[in-house]
């Protein structure tokens, strides 16, 4: 898989992606997306393991910016399965959800990805100084921050690390005070190579306070939680990107992070994606992932799919793939 060797170019690409994540999500011109924001019954069971979605926020993103140069007519041509949860044809916007998954084994409670967070200084109006109800949503889902044993961010873009910390009396403290935070060594090294601007801001408010609190365990991309739940490396979108694989009593699922951002990428994994820090590596990992998960008995949970969220990658008679949600 080709990797960009020019680290300065990678840093620029990373900053552009982060700026886009912070700055392109909110616009008064966009209508509300009630269908995408609707919360479905959000706990799924796989043998002895459950997966619960806890939403931080949802929002639109201009499709032409997300997929530079792509033939965007493909979104309209696949409206039958992309609308209303994943695409707004009137606004030409793809729809994002930012959420955590709380994974429970008989022994462990694991939080996967941490959304945008509250009170954070960010580049755009959508996430900047946000005051959202994530912690209430977390409680409504039946969990307390104190019961979380592990936190795993699939990668360190700021839309995945926000709720690593929260602001208490003017200080950033770990949101999950008893958890071990599993940091990927390559991912952290990538961030620490380019500590300027938005990257440094997110590092200072969402990563460094966890390190300084002594809550971090460094890993190299793999970690076995037992009961069929394990972290597997999936580099591409970022250098230390990780996914979480579940296999319990014959039931399988994969929490894929940002290998795929919108279901159209199941049909077109070859499209360039703005958010991929390394465009070629991201595309290669996406292609591999889609090939490996088509027409197999594995439920896919992507980091940004809203609405019913969970689904399968399925091929039609003509060989083209689509994402079939579990309530489709
Ligand atoms: Zn993301």
């Amino acid at each position: 898989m080709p990797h960009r060797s020019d680290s300065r170019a990678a840093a620029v690409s990373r900053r552009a992606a982060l700026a886009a994540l912070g700055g392109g999500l909110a616009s008064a011109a966009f209508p509300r997306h009630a269908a995408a924001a609707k919360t479905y019954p959000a706990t799924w069971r796989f043998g002895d393991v459950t997966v619960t979605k806890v939403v931080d926020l949802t929002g639109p993103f201009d499709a032409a910016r997300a997929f530079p140069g792509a033939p965007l007519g493909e979104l309209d041509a696949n409206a039958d399965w992309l609308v209303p949860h994943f695409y707004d044809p009137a606004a030409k916007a793809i729809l994002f959800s930012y959420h955590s998954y709380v994974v429970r084994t008989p022994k462990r409670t694991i939080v996967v990805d941490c959304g945008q967070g509250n009170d954070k200084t960010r580049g755009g109006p959508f996430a900047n100084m946000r005051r959202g109800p994530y912690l209430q949503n977390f409680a409504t889902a039946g969990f307390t921050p104190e019961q979380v044993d592990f936190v795993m961010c699939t990668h360190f873009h700021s839309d995945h690390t926000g709720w690593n910390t929260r602001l208490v009396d003017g200080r950033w403290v770990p949101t999950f005070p008893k958890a071990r935070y599993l940091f990927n060594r390559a991912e952290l090294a990538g961030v620490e190579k380019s500590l300027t601007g938005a990257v440094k801001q997110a590092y200072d408010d969402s990563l460094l306070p966890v390190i300084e609190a002594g809550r971090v365990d460094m890993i190299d991309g793999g970690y076995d939680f037992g009961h069929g739940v394990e972290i597997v490396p999936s580099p591409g979108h970022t250098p230390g990107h990780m996914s979480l694989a579940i296999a319990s009593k014959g039931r399988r699922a994969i929490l894929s992070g940002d290998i795929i951002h919108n279901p159209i990428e199941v049909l077109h994994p070859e499209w360039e994606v703005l958010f991929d820090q390394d465009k070629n590596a991201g595309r290669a990992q996406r292609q591999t992932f889609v090939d490996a998960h088509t027409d197999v008995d594995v439920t896919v949970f992507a980091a940004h799919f809203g609405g019913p969220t969970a689904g399968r990658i399925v091929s039609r008679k003509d060989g083209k793939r689509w994402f079939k949600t579990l309530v489709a």
Side-chain angles (χ1 to χ4, degrees):
M1 159 187 330
H3 275 268
R4 181 177 298 188
S5 58
D6 181 344
S7 65
R8 211 164 0 159
V12 169
S13 171
R14 175 184 180 79
R15 275 197 293 279
L18 285 171
L21 284 167
L25 291 167
S27 165
F30 285 119
R32 293 176 67 82
H33 297 95
K38 180 181 173 188
T39 299
Y40 284 75
T43 294
W44 299 262
R45 175 170 285 281
F46 302 89
D48 291 332
V49 179
T50 58
V51 178
T52 300
K53 183 175 78 165
V54 177
V55 175
D56 186 15
L57 68 155
T58 61
F61 195 97
D62 179 32
R65 287 186 65 201
F67 304 119
L72 297 179
E74 280 292 89
L75 287 158
D76 295 301
N78 290 279
D80 59 321
W81 57 277
L82 291 173
V83 176
H85 303 299
F86 308 120
Y87 176 56
D88 177 345
K92 304 294 180 204
I94 56 172
L95 304 179
F96 271 69
S97 171
Y98 302 85
H99 49 256
S100 295
Y101 293 113
V102 183
V103 177
R104 295 204 76 184
T105 78
K107 291 216 170 135
R108 303 291 191 202
T109 301
I110 306 151
V111 168
V112 179
D113 282 330
C114 287
Q116 301 271 13
N118 274 5
D119 303 306
K120 309 231 154 160
T121 302
R122 293 292 180 260
F126 205 67
N128 189 44
M129 301 308 287
R130 180 174 159 73
R131 290 286 170 85
Y134 175 86
L135 290 177
Q136 291 95 300
N137 296 344
F138 201 81
T140 302
F143 305 109
T144 66
E146 290 75 17
Q147 83 184 83
V148 174
D149 300 301
F150 292 97
V151 176
M152 165 211 166
C153 300
T154 55
H155 60 293
F156 284 167
H157 284 167
S158 63
D159 59 317
H160 295 256
T161 60
W163 280 104
N164 274 0
T165 59
R166 62 193 181 100
L167 195 60
V168 177
D169 298 331
R171 283 181 55 238
W172 295 110
V173 301
T175 303
F176 307 99
K178 297 179 179 171
R180 301 305 300 172
Y181 286 65
L182 302 178
F183 279 17
N184 182 293
R185 211 177 301 274
E187 188 75 2
L188 185 64
V191 169
E192 289 181 337
K193 264 196 301 199
S194 50
L195 283 181
T196 58
V199 174
K200 179 167 178 15
Q201 180 70 43
Y203 176 82
D204 285 348
D205 62 35
S206 299
L207 299 179
L208 188 58
V210 185
I211 297 170
E212 290 182 341
R215 305 309 305 175
V216 170
D217 290 331
M218 299 301 299
I219 63 172
D220 286 312
Y223 191 92
D224 188 352
F225 293 106
H227 296 275
V229 177
E230 63 178 324
I231 294 175
V232 291
S234 49
H237 176 70
T238 61
H241 190 280
M242 310 185 291
S243 302
L244 189 79
I246 298 170
S248 180
K249 296 189 172 169
R251 302 282 318 281
R252 294 173 62 201
I254 181 87
L255 279 56
S256 55
D258 275 11
I259 297 174
I260 302 171
H261 311 81
N262 180 276
I264 191 65
E265 294 161 53
V266 165
L267 177 60
H268 288 295
E270 78 283 5
W271 283 6
E272 180 174 313
V273 177
L274 172 71
F275 317 110
D276 283 341
Q277 197 168 313
D278 182 324
K279 304 291 186 272
N280 289 330
R283 180 189 294 120
Q285 180 65 264
R286 186 158 46 252
Q287 187 85 57
T288 299
F289 179 85
V290 170
D291 286 348
H293 292 88
T294 298
D295 298 327
V296 295
D297 188 17
V298 181
T299 300
V300 174
F301 292 87
H304 294 305
F305 292 10
T309 303
R312 304 275 176 88
I313 301 172
V314 178
S315 59
R316 299 182 195 269
K317 283 193 185 126
D318 63 4
K320 291 186 175 176
R321 291 144 163 162
W322 68 296
F323 187 74
K324 183 179 193 300
T325 65
L326 295 189
V327 298

